[in-house]
């Protein structure tokens, strides 16, 4: 049933997924950004696609129709998290393709091309996406899209500084370039030692998984409590 | 007798609205029409049955199972919501293909056949359909997985009379095997005459009447009479409307009223609409009486406290005629 729900999202959204193609073409032609240096931004694109999915569902009020199908509310939520994960992989893949193409056509970008698939970059990307999904979906399933977007905006305002600092810390050398006042006040000018440990990647991955699990649990509870 | 749907003591409270002590039984293979004015709670009741809305208390048995915790029972149910909602940019064929995997008994040929019968093309986009066409589409989908129970919320609302009749004919055809049970809500009471075996009247969140249609025809009547005959009949009349030249009301004991009223009254067969209109009036008057009672108690309290305030009184007899069963 979860797969059938995932397929439902795919059929409803497959046209919408192509909106990133003109974005990348315009980016390449007009700006020529090297996306490997801005991997965190792709996380925002993945969340944007998820938001478009939720917006479609909210605008057409299809949730009550979906909940009338022979599926449990837990399955509905799990399928949506699976869809979010799919968007995460899709956007990363697209970024990778973009960079490979850019390096191929403009050799000066080849300097840093290998870094795009490094564990640090993947982790930065996963952090950006996971934290946004973890805030967005439980709020959406309990109170609807307006509250979810408001919650995400508030969380972004509060957390942007510290989140950016963590992301910068993960990318090591970039830390000193990141004027993240709040984090500097807490940690000083260099990232704390635990953030630079070799095991940190594994630990941080587990933290992200835990955040997602708790978020999904809250989303299921939210949807079960909601009247459609 | 096997019951496709059993609802007992169901209660759901919202601020300003209460669905209270709802009990219904729909035998397998039968058709029940749920009628009531707008805002009576029909849609809420169907949502409660589907577990889209959480009940405060009471029990629901859907094909023998409680829908809470048995979501898979919905595989055996076809649902048509009052306002069908699917992504506007998808074609009917695409929506059909997204629904099909949820139903092991999905019959694609039946789906195409129903689309054709309802004058719909698989290539049409959902967002381009009128409200009536959307209802037709959702009904086509609901009929395409051979559901044991169909729950239709206002399926004929928004349909023109010609198509309404066609839709009722299609439904009657589907129900001919007497294996499929149908519960449908409507405020177009004429729909019941074509389909229903049972009728339940829901007014202001309460089931006022739930009977077989043939019993309704046999026992209920519209009563019209002179003002002089009213006092002796009041006990068995409901929803009385008094005018300068007489009264009209309904009764659930037509033979008795005919006998007791003699030439002073005319008793005619009551349609479901007659019953609904009069019972809705009775409920409204009852609500006004409760409010008037409250106002009167407040006034008495104020009078006791030395404050004088005039207030309108209502004839208590009118309310005493509620819930008949009293002797003539």
């Amino acid at each position: 049933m979860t797969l059938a729900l995932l397929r439902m999202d795919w059929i409803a959204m497959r046209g919408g997924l192509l909106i990133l193609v003109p974005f990348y073409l315009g980016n390449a032609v007009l700006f020529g950004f090297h996306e490997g240096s801005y991997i965190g931004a792709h996380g925002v694109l993945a969340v944007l696609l998820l938001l478009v999915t939720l917006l479609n569902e909210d605008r057409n009020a299809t949730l009550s129709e979906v909940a009338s199908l022979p599926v449990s509310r837990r399955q509905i939520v799990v399928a949506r998290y699976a869809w979010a994960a799919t968007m995460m992989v899709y956007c990363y893949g697209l970024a990778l393709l973009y960079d490979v193409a850019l390096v191929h056509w403009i050799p000066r970008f080849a300097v840093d091309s290998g870094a795009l698939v490094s564990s640090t970059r993947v982790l930065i990307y996963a952090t950006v996406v996971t934290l946004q999904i973890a805030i967005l979906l439980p709020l959406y399933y309990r109170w609807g899209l307006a509250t979810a977007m408001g919650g995400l905006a508030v969380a972004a305002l509060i957390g942007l500084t510290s989140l950016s600092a963590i992301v910068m810390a993960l990318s090591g050398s970039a830390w000193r370039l990141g004027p993240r006042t709040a984090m500097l006040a807490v940690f000083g000018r260099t990232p704390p030692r635990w953030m630079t440990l070799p095991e940190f990647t594994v630990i941080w991955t587990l933290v992200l998984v835990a955040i997602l699990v708790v978020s999904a649990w809250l989303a299921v509870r939210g949807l079960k409590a909601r009247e459609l | 007798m096997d019951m496709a749907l059993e609802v007992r003591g169901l209660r759901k409270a919202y601020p300003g609205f209460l669905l209270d002590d709802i009990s219904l039984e729909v035998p397998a293979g039968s058709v029940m029409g749920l009628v009531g004015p707008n805002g009576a709670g029909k849609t809420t009741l169907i949502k409660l049955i589907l577990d889209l809305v959480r009940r405060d208390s009471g029990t629901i048995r859907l094909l023998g199972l409680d829908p809470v915790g048995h979501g898979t029972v919905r595989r055996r149910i076809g649902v048509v919501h009052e306002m069908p909602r699917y992504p506007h940019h998808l074609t009917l064929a695409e929506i059909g293909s997204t629904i099909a995997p949820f139903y092991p008994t999905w019959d694609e040929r039946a789906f195409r056949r129903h689309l054709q019968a309802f004058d719909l093309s698989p290539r049409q986009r959902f967002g381009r359909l009128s409200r009536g066409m959307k209802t037709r589409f959702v009904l086509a989908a609901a009929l395409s997985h051979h559901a044991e129970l169909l729950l239709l919320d206002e399926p004929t609302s928004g349909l023109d009379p010609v198509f309404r009749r066609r839709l009722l004919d299609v439904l009657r055809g589907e129900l001919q095997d007497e294996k499929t049970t149908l519960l449908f809500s409507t405020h177009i009471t004429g729909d019941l005459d074509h389909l229903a075996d049972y009728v339940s009247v829901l007014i202001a969140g309460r089931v006022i009447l739930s009977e077989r249609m043939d019993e309704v025809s046999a026992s209920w009547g519209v009563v019209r009479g002179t003002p002089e005959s009213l006092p002796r009949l009041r006990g068995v009349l409901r929803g009385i409307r008094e005018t300068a030249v007489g009264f009209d009301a309904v009764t659930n004991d037509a033979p008795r009223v005919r006998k007791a009223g003699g030439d002073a009254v005319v008793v005619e067969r009551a349609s479901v609409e007659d019953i609904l209109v009069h019972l809705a009036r009775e409920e409204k008057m009852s609500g006004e009486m409760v409010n008037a009672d409250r106002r009167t108690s407040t006034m008495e309290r104020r009078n006791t406290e030395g404050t004088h305030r005039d207030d309108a009184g209502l004839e208590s007899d009118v309310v005493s005629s509620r819930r008949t069963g009293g002797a003539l």
Side-chain angles (χ1 to χ4, degrees):
Chain A
M1 287 301 114
T2 304
L3 279 178
L5 286 164
L6 201 56
R7 185 172 168 273
M8 199 177 235
D9 272 344
W10 159 245
I11 289 175
M13 273 296 292
R14 60 192 169 189
L17 298 185
L18 298 176
I19 60 171
L20 291 189
V21 173
F23 166 79
Y24 276 109
L25 284 174
N27 200 1
V29 172
L30 299 174
F31 306 108
F33 282 145
H34 185 191
E35 299 303 320
S37 308
Y38 300 95
I39 192 65
H42 291 276
V44 177
L45 292 180
V47 175
L48 185 74
L49 287 180
L50 178 62
L51 269 173
V52 173
T53 311
L54 300 182
L55 197 68
N56 258 325
E57 188 170 78
D58 191 69
R59 192 173 64 107
N60 298 320
T62 53
L63 195 53
S64 61
E65 213 66 65
V66 173
S68 303
L69 293 168
V71 289
S72 67
R73 298 200 181 189
R74 184 180 60 78
Q75 285 170 321
I76 293 172
V77 171
V78 169
R80 188 48 55 75
Y81 273 80
W83 176 251
T86 309
M87 290 306 94
M88 194 194 278
V89 173
Y90 169 72
C91 284
Y92 195 87
L94 220 52
L96 203 62
L97 272 175
Y98 174 81
D99 260 31
V100 168
L102 213 62
V103 166
H104 178 74
W105 283 314
I106 309 169
R108 73 182 172 85
F109 286 124
V111 180
D112 196 26
S113 62
L116 192 64
V117 285
S118 73
S119 60
T120 307
R121 286 263 160 83
V122 172
L123 210 57
I124 290 167
Y125 177 81
T127 303
V128 171
V129 182
T130 302
L131 292 181
Q132 291 185 84
I133 291 171
I135 292 165
L136 190 66
L137 287 180
L139 291 174
Y140 172 73
Y141 281 116
R142 182 64 188 94
W143 289 291
L145 188 60
T147 308
M149 289 177 75
L152 195 62
V154 170
L157 283 171
I158 295 169
L160 195 60
T161 312
S162 50
L163 178 64
S164 305
I166 292 169
V167 169
M168 287 300 199
L170 288 169
S171 60
S173 61
W175 172 263
R176 64 179 178 276
L177 302 173
R180 309 292 182 243
T181 316
M183 289 302 284
L184 287 174
V186 177
F187 294 125
R189 287 193 63 80
T190 51
R193 194 169 163 271
W194 57 269
M195 276 193 183
T196 55
L197 287 175
E199 299 82 15
F200 181 72
T201 304
V202 178
I203 294 167
W204 189 243
T205 305
L206 291 174
V207 168
L208 291 182
V209 170
I211 288 171
L212 267 187
V213 169
V214 171
S215 159
W217 178 75
L218 286 171
V220 171
R221 278 192 59 144
L223 186 58
K224 281 185 174 174
R226 188 160 160 198
E227 304 208 325
L228 300 167
Chain B
M1 192 187 295
D2 283 346
M3 293 296 162
L5 174 66
E6 285 179 87
V7 176
R8 290 197 192 286
L10 189 63
R11 185 179 196 277
K12 175 71 188 176
Y14 287 111
F17 179 74
L18 175 65
L19 202 63
D20 196 21
D21 196 23
I22 303 290
S23 293
L24 290 176
E25 284 187 344
V26 187
S30 67
V31 178
M32 176 175 275
L34 185 63
V35 295
N38 291 334
K42 303 186 292 293
T43 298
T44 304
L45 176 56
I46 287 177
K47 285 187 170 182
L48 281 161
I49 291 168
L50 286 168
D51 192 33
L52 296 178
V53 168
R54 303 293 180 206
R55 58 190 185 240
D56 295 339
S57 59
T59 59
I60 297 172
R61 283 276 175 276
L62 201 53
L63 299 170
L65 296 167
D66 189 332
V68 178
H70 295 93
T72 50
V73 76
R74 289 197 287 262
R75 282 181 190 165
R76 297 155 64 194
I77 296 168
V79 181
V80 174
H81 289 291
E82 187 181 4
M83 291 289 284
R85 296 173 193 280
Y86 284 103
H88 284 196
H89 62 286
L90 296 187
T91 64
L92 304 189
E94 285 172 330
I95 297 173
S97 78
T98 63
I99 299 170
F102 294 97
Y103 297 99
T105 52
W106 180 265
D107 183 344
E108 186 63 27
R109 284 173 64 188
F111 177 59
R112 301 274 167 166
R113 196 175 63 242
H114 286 307
L115 286 184
Q116 199 173 13
F118 291 160
D119 297 336
L120 296 168
S121 159
R123 283 189 295 244
Q124 281 176 290
R125 294 199 183 278
F126 188 75
R128 296 280 177 95
L129 304 182
S130 67
R131 188 179 165 196
M133 290 163 90
K134 284 178 182 170
T135 302
R136 289 187 231 168
F137 165 69
V138 181
L139 189 61
L143 293 173
S144 300
H145 59 92
H146 307 295
E148 292 169 51
L149 171 64
L150 290 169
L151 292 174
L152 315 182
D153 189 10
E154 305 270 5
T156 53
S157 169
L159 299 181
D160 62 74
V162 176
F163 191 78
R164 216 181 96 224
R165 179 59 67 86
R166 266 176 69 194
L167 183 131
L168 294 171
D169 288 345
V170 168
L171 279 175
R172 198 164 34 219
E174 288 291 324
L175 300 169
Q176 260 176 353
D177 61 359
E178 297 192 349
K179 287 178 185 166
T180 310
T181 309
L182 169 63
L183 172 70
F184 72 105
S185 72
T186 184
H187 58 264
I188 304 170
T189 50
D191 295 347
L192 301 177
D193 300 330
H194 294 91
L195 274 180
D197 303 313
Y198 294 83
V199 60
S200 288
V201 177
L202 189 64
I203 296 173
R206 289 193 303 134
V207 174
I208 304 295
L209 164 76
S210 191
E211 283 181 22
R212 284 189 64 89
M213 279 294 278
D214 50 10
E215 285 171 7
V216 171
S217 304
S219 57
W220 284 83
V222 178
V223 185
R224 292 187 184 84
T226 57
E228 298 75 39
S229 61
L230 181 59
R232 60 203 160 92
L233 295 173
R234 202 181 278 279
V236 284
L237 298 180
R238 301 181 66 176
I240 303 166
R241 185 171 68 98
E242 292 180 66
T243 63
V245 292
F247 72 91
D248 66 78
V250 288
T251 178
N252 63 349
D253 199 350
R256 206 169 170 189
V257 172
R258 261 189 212 106
K259 195 175 165 188
D263 294 338
V265 297
V266 176
V267 183
E268 292 167 344
R269 190 182 154 192
S271 66
V272 174
E273 184 167 322
D274 292 325
I275 298 168
L276 176 65
V277 167
H278 282 84
L279 294 187
R281 179 187 299 144
E282 184 182 80
E283 277 299 309
K284 192 176 173 199
M285 287 166 73
S286 155
E288 284 169 1
M289 271 307 296
V290 170
N291 291 337
D293 283 348
R294 284 183 190 143
R295 283 201 301 272
T296 308
S297 342
T298 310
M299 188 184 72
E300 281 168 358
R301 203 169 53 242
R302 283 177 182 167
N303 281 343
T304 315
E305 289 163 3
T307 312
H308 176 73
R309 187 176 165 190
D310 195 11
D311 205 343
L314 287 173
E315 197 180 341
S316 60
D317 281 354
V318 177
V319 169
S320 70
S321 72
R322 284 190 70 243
R323 306 274 174 205
T324 56
L328 285 170

